[in-house]
Amino acid sequence: MNALVHAPHLFPVLDNELQVGGMPLSRLAERVGGTPFYAYDRRLIAERVAQLRAALPDAVHLHYAIKANPMPAVVQFMAGQVDGFDLASGGEMKIALDSPMPAHRISFAGPGKSAAELRQAAAAGVVVNLESEGEMERLAQAAQSLGLRARAAVRVNPDFELKSSGMKMGGGPKPFGVDAERVPAMLARMKALPLDFQGFHLFSGSQNLKAESLMEAQRNTFALARRLAADAPGPVRLLNLGGGFGIPYFPGEQRLDLRAVGDHLAGLLPQARKDFPEAEFVLELGRFLVGEAGVYVTRVVDRKESRGQVYVVSDGGMNHNLSATGNLGQVIRKNYPVLVGNRVAPETGAAAAVVNVVGPLCTPLDLLGDKVELGHAREGDLIAVLQSGAYGFTASPTAFLGHPPALEVLV
Ligand SMILES: *Cc1c(COP(=O)(O)O)cnc(C)c1O
């Protein structure tokens, strides 16, 4: 069956139909009231959090990086699952502050924060992860004019890389964070400003499936933070170790060995507690928490042949799920796991023929399945694109070609 050549996925199949939110997909589509839609499954998110808690030492807290999936209902739900949130914009700050998560458990990273965003963060009591010396001065001005002290941590651009990451965000010249060698001077200046030093934020990369690479980065992170803490204006209260935990998207990809990462962290903790006796240790994860809990669902509107190839045309594609079409930073396009969600295997028992699943946009980039074994798909069927819970809805060019946006449900 086609599903076997895909990356592993978490949604159960019952009576040949994908079950999402404990319901057959065709029934869920009726409940939602239309296609295309995204559905995010609470049970799968909660299970993922539970797996993390079981694998990681208790002293390591979990933050959710909202940019992975900022749907307000998801963020509300996550407030009851994790220990804190990480934001990357004022828009995300609004969603986070509407949730039950207390402001002091929320941190705000990202280059180019506006004066208004810094002022809001200072007023809210959110921890600002400073991305530059200039930003530190602007945050201090905001605090000054509000007559309060703002919570500030320094985002450090480390002098090491997170190897084998889908996206490298630290090491070498980067727009993110302050180069490690510049941090001592910055900390010296911070002493004179109305800022309460919280600690350090080191985020070195994303979408990593190699436990060894993550372990090495975590070792390096503790060592670098130890060096930097010598110049800090106060004790380190918050040490954000970054994250970067990846999920399998493509055939042949293996799940991250969470146990190995957790055991290794547990081994680093006794020394870390001595080095940072007042610190809370944090991992900030986005896609690892929500990516596998989401499915993007389109309906087949046409099936056509062109010179020996079959095209299954569905009512949504890159306009809603850019990443699944291979257009969000991938160097080589590969298929996300795609299924006929309402009839996973062909009823005949025969292997399905090879077809291409495309979206409705007039561009060859709008390709959800390149030569996939979904030959049994016919008009009216539901195409399910798995691993779509992160960087889907809000990471896509929804206005491109003017189709309506996808619906979104948390089930
Ligand atoms: C994007 C981002 C994350 C989340 O990355 P994932 O790959 O989704 O886990 C976490 N922290 C920072 C600073 C980020 O920019």
Side-chain angles (χ1 to χ4, degrees):
M1 194 187 63
N2 187 62
L4 297 178
V5 303
H6 284 143
H9 71 83
L10 300 177
F11 289 98
V13 175
L14 231 161
D15 297 332
N16 206 24
E17 185 157 8
L18 203 67
Q19 308 289 308
V20 178
M23 190 183 278
L25 188 65
S26 55
R27 170 134 175 232
L28 178 62
E30 296 301 329
R31 199 208 101 169
V32 173
T35 54
F37 67 89
Y38 277 95
Y40 314 115
D41 193 319
R42 283 184 180 84
R43 181 184 62 85
L44 293 180
I45 298 174
E47 280 179 13
R48 179 51 55 91
V49 171
Q51 282 164 6
L52 276 160
R53 301 243 190 238
L56 298 172
D58 290 344
V60 174
H61 291 175
L62 281 182
H63 280 202
Y64 175 50
I66 288 182
K67 84 171 194 277
N69 187 331
M71 183 197 185
V74 169
V75 174
Q76 289 283 327
F77 176 68
M78 291 309 272
Q81 296 286 318
V82 298
D83 309 302
F85 287 152
D86 288 300
L87 317 171
S89 75
E92 290 183 3
M93 181 157 49
K94 173 170 187 336
I95 296 169
L97 291 174
D98 282 344
S99 84
M101 187 63 75
H104 70 272
R105 310 205 65 87
I106 299 175
S107 62
F108 184 4
K113 296 179 197 75
S114 70
E117 286 173 324
L118 291 170
R119 208 176 157 87
Q120 281 176 271
V126 161
V127 178
V128 177
N129 292 330
L130 298 169
E131 302 272 349
S132 73
E133 293 90 344
E135 190 168 275
M136 174 171 73
E137 299 296 333
R138 289 189 288 278
L139 179 64
Q141 276 165 22
Q144 188 89 52
S145 78
L146 291 166
L148 48 76
R149 296 178 66 80
R151 292 193 170 97
V154 177
R155 179 169 180 184
V156 182
N157 175 22
D159 43 14
F160 58 85
E161 283 190 345
L162 173 53
K163 290 181 192 136
S164 31
S165 279
M167 251 179 250
K168 288 200 170 73
M169 292 179 67
K174 288 284 180 302
F176 313 112
V178 179
D179 295 347
E181 56 277 18
R182 300 171 67 114
V183 170
M186 184 171 173
L187 293 172
R189 166 71 182 145
M190 193 184 284
K191 292 186 179 117
L193 299 172
L195 301 177
D196 283 336
F197 172 75
Q198 302 294 305
F200 299 110
H201 174 219
L202 286 106
F203 182 80
S204 44
S206 184
Q207 181 48 24
N208 202 307
L209 291 169
K210 292 223 163 70
E212 278 298 334
S213 306
L214 291 167
M215 285 149 56
E216 182 190 318
Q218 287 164 358
R219 269 197 308 277
N220 288 335
T221 295
F222 278 119
L224 176 56
R226 182 160 51 239
R227 274 185 277 137
L228 296 176
D231 294 301
V236 172
R237 301 181 193 287
L238 188 65
L239 183 53
N240 186 327
L241 307 166
F245 295 17
I247 61 171
Y249 286 101
F250 307 121
E253 284 187 336
Q254 302 292 318
R255 287 187 185 288
L256 173 65
D257 184 353
L258 202 52
R259 181 66 55 185
V261 176
D263 289 351
H264 177 258
L265 262 179
L268 295 174
L269 271 186
Q271 184 61 42
R273 278 186 200 277
K274 273 186 216 143
D275 294 337
F276 314 102
E278 297 183 42
E280 174 186 355
F281 303 112
V282 166
L283 282 174
E284 54 172 5
L285 302 173
R287 83 181 76 227
F288 193 76
L289 295 175
V290 294
E292 290 186 77
V295 56
Y296 170 63
V297 182
T298 65
R299 199 177 286 281
V300 177
V301 288
D302 197 9
R303 194 190 145 103
K304 54 188 281 191
E305 265 188 63
S306 168
R307 304 203 169 116
Q309 296 227 18
V310 175
Y311 291 88
V312 170
V313 186
S314 82
D315 59 3
M318 71 180 287
N319 53 328
H320 300 150
N321 199 342
L322 187 70
S323 176
T325 59
N327 294 301
L328 188 69
Q330 293 97 326
V331 181
I332 301 167
R333 193 203 167 285
K334 293 184 206 153
N335 294 321
Y336 273 39
V338 247
L339 304 171
V340 179
N342 55 311
R343 297 187 299 122
V344 173
E347 281 84 354
T348 59
V354 168
V355 299
N356 302 296
V357 179
V358 301
L361 307 195
C362 253
T363 157
L365 298 176
D366 195 9
L367 180 59
L368 287 170
D370 183 20
K371 302 195 176 61
V372 287
E373 292 169 344
L374 299 185
H376 58 302
R378 54 182 183 235
E379 277 174 44
D381 277 341
L382 296 169
I383 300 291
V385 183
L386 302 161
Q387 321 298 63
S388 292
Y391 307 108
F393 186 87
T394 56
S396 301
T398 40
F400 190 35
L401 269 94
H403 292 283
L407 299 162
E408 271 190 305
V409 289
L410 175 67
V411 293

